[in-house]
Amino acid sequence: MSRHSIAVIAGDGIGNEVVPAAIECLQRIAGIHDLNMEFTYFDWGSDYYGRHGRMMPVDGLEQLAKHDAIFLGAVGSPEVPDAESLWGLLIPIRREFQQYINLRPVKTLDGVASPLAAKQPIDLLIVRENNEGEYSEVGGRMYRGLPQESAVQETIFTRLGVSRAAHYAARLAAARRGQLTSATKSNGIVHTMPFWDEIVEETVREYPGVTLTSELVDALAAHLVLKPWTFDVIVASNLFGDILSDLGSSVTGSIGLAPSANLNPEGNFPSLFEPVHGSAPDIAGKGLANPVGQIWSGAMMLEHLGHPEAAVHLQAAFEAALRDGFGTRDVGGTSSTSEFTAAVLTAIDALSANYTLSPGGVAAS
C-alpha cells in the first residue's frame, strides 16, 4: 500500500465546501487503488488572520514541509485585503517550496456547454512560470497621500526561471502534439519580454520535435476565444499565464471547472494543488459551489504522487457525472455541491470494474 501525507487547507468561502467534497472522492479512489492518504487539516486563512493577524503561523511553512503534498481550497475574504491573504499564505508557499511551475489544463467536458458557437473540442495545457516575473516583491510607494504619490513595481525575469518553465512546457508538448506557443509582449515591453523570447527560443531548440510559435499576448487572448482548439501547450509568464488560464477555463464553460498544480517538479519540496476559482463569498454556504476544479486538482495530485491510473479513474468519474447531467448551476445544471459529489462517488464505484489490481499497481482492464 502506498502511503501519502497530505496537508489540507480549506481556506475561505466555498473552499470549505469543495475541499470536503474532493476529499470524499479521493478517499473512495484510495480505497479502490490500495492507497493510504493521510489528511492533516490546518485552519489557516482569513478567519485565522482575524484571530492572529496573520494568514498562517510563524512556523507554518515548516509544518507543511513535513507532508508529501498540499491540498488548498480557496483564500480570500472581503474583510481581509487581497495583498494580505495572497502574500500571507499562497505566495510564500509557492516560493519557499520552489513551486516554479503552475500547470493549468483547459479542456471541454461533455455535459458542459461552452459559450462558443464552435463545437471543436478544446484540450490544451497552460504552463505558467510561478515564482518570478510580474509578481516580484521589488518596488514600493513614495509620497503617500501627496499629489506626487507614486508606485513602482519591478518585473523580474531570470535565465533560470524562464528556461526551466520553457523546458517543462517543451517536454509536455513533445509528449502531446508537438506545438508550443509562447505568450509575449516584446513589441511594447522592450527589455524583459525580448529576454523571455530569447531564452524560450534557445530552450526549445533542444526539442527537435516541438514547433514554437511566439504570439503577442493580446492577440493570443483573442486567439483563445476565436480558435482555442488550435492550441496544444502555452507557456507564459506569471501574470500572462494567470490571465490566460482564467480566459481558457471560461471558454470551456466555467472557471469553476479549472484545476491547477503548483509544482516543484524535482520533488524536493511538497507541491500544492488548488482550483483556479476564488473563495466566492457571494455563494459560500449555499451549496451552489462547483467542486469540479477541486476534484480535478485532486486528480492532478494523484498523478504527481505517482498514481496515474487512480488519477484517470477520478477524472473519468467526474466527467461521467457531468455527462449524466449532474452539473451545478454555473454550468447550466441544477445539482447542489453535495448532489454532484454523490454522483461522482457513484461513478467512481461504477467505473471501478474497469480497473484491476496488478503487481505494479492498478491498470485499466
Side-chain angles (χ1 to χ4, degrees):
M1 177 176 286
S2 296
R3 297 179 182 273
H4 299 290
S5 173
I6 313 298
V8 179
I9 308 171
D12 304 318
I14 62 171
N16 293 287
E17 299 170 70
V18 297
V19 166
I23 288 179
E24 191 174 1
C25 296
L26 285 167
Q27 289 173 325
R28 184 69 59 88
I29 284 284
I32 295 169
H33 290 257
D34 200 26
L35 308 176
N36 184 347
M37 305 185 75
E38 299 174 352
F39 297 98
T40 302
Y41 295 84
F42 298 91
D43 65 342
W44 304 342
S46 296
D47 287 346
Y48 188 92
Y49 182 91
R51 298 192 303 271
H52 302 282
R54 55 186 303 121
M55 294 294 290
M56 63 178 170
V58 174
D59 67 343
L61 294 174
E62 295 176 20
Q63 295 185 50
L64 295 176
K66 301 173 184 178
H67 299 274
D68 299 318
I70 304 163
F71 201 48
L72 175 67
V75 176
S77 166
E79 287 75 39
V80 180
D82 288 342
E84 293 287 345
S85 58
L86 187 64
W87 286 88
L89 184 65
L90 183 56
I91 289 182
I93 292 172
R94 287 174 172 174
R95 295 189 175 174
E96 180 71 19
F97 295 147
Q98 298 181 33
Q99 297 168 354
Y100 59 85
I101 295 295
N102 188 288
L103 181 62
R104 298 186 171 188
V106 176
K107 186 175 184 288
T108 46
L109 301 171
D110 289 343
V112 178
S114 166
L116 304 182
K119 302 302 181 186
Q120 289 92 330
I122 301 166
D123 184 4
L124 64 99
L125 297 174
I126 295 178
V127 176
R128 169 190 176 191
E129 195 292 314
N130 208 35
N131 277 179
E132 53 181 46
E134 302 86 352
Y135 294 1
S136 81
E137 298 177 75
V138 180
R141 292 175 65 174
M142 295 178 62
Y143 308 118
R144 290 175 185 262
L146 299 177
Q148 66 269 38
E149 183 173 5
S150 61
V152 176
Q153 178 78 40
E154 299 287 352
T155 294
I156 306 295
F157 285 154
T158 65
R159 179 170 290 275
L160 172 64
V162 178
S163 64
R164 63 189 181 182
H167 274 296
Y168 190 90
R171 287 194 294 270
L172 286 177
R176 288 166 54 94
R177 303 195 300 273
Q179 301 170 12
L180 178 61
T181 302
S182 173
T184 185
K185 192 57 182 170
S186 51
N187 64 337
I189 302 175
V190 298
H191 297 302
T192 54
M193 291 315 308
F195 180 67
W196 168 280
D197 293 345
E198 292 166 15
I199 296 172
V200 171
E201 184 176 351
E202 291 172 9
T203 303
V204 178
R205 287 196 201 112
E206 301 178 28
Y207 300 84
V210 175
T211 300
L212 174 66
T213 302
S214 184
E215 195 162 342
L216 297 175
V217 68
D218 45 345
L220 179 52
H223 190 174
L224 260 176
V225 172
L226 294 172
K227 293 185 177 181
W229 54 87
T230 62
F231 289 104
D232 184 13
V233 178
I234 297 172
V235 63
S237 67
N238 213 331
L239 177 62
F240 291 175
D242 196 3
I243 296 169
L244 292 172
S245 56
D246 279 20
L247 177 59
S249 62
S250 296
V251 299
T252 61
S254 171
I255 197 172
L257 301 169
S260 75
N262 299 271
L263 300 172
N264 173 249
E266 295 80 12
N268 297 324
F269 302 94
S271 294
L272 181 147
F273 302 84
E274 57 169 339
V276 172
H277 65 68
S279 58
D282 57 320
I283 62 168
K286 299 179 180 179
L288 301 174
N290 185 345
V292 170
Q294 192 78 53
I295 296 170
W296 197 347
S297 297
M300 296 180 76
M301 181 172 69
L302 287 171
E303 183 168 5
H304 177 74
L305 292 173
H307 308 291
E309 300 88 353
V312 169
H313 186 175
L314 180 54
Q315 184 166 344
F318 74 70
E319 289 188 12
L322 288 170
R323 190 164 47 248
D324 291 343
F326 288 97
T328 47
R329 187 180 67 174
D330 59 306
V331 294
T334 60
S335 296
S336 66
T337 306
S338 59
E339 288 169 342
F340 179 81
T341 305
V344 176
L345 294 170
T346 298
I348 289 172
D349 293 340
L351 291 167
S352 64
N354 297 330
Y355 295 84
T356 55
L357 280 171
S358 64
V362 180
S365 61

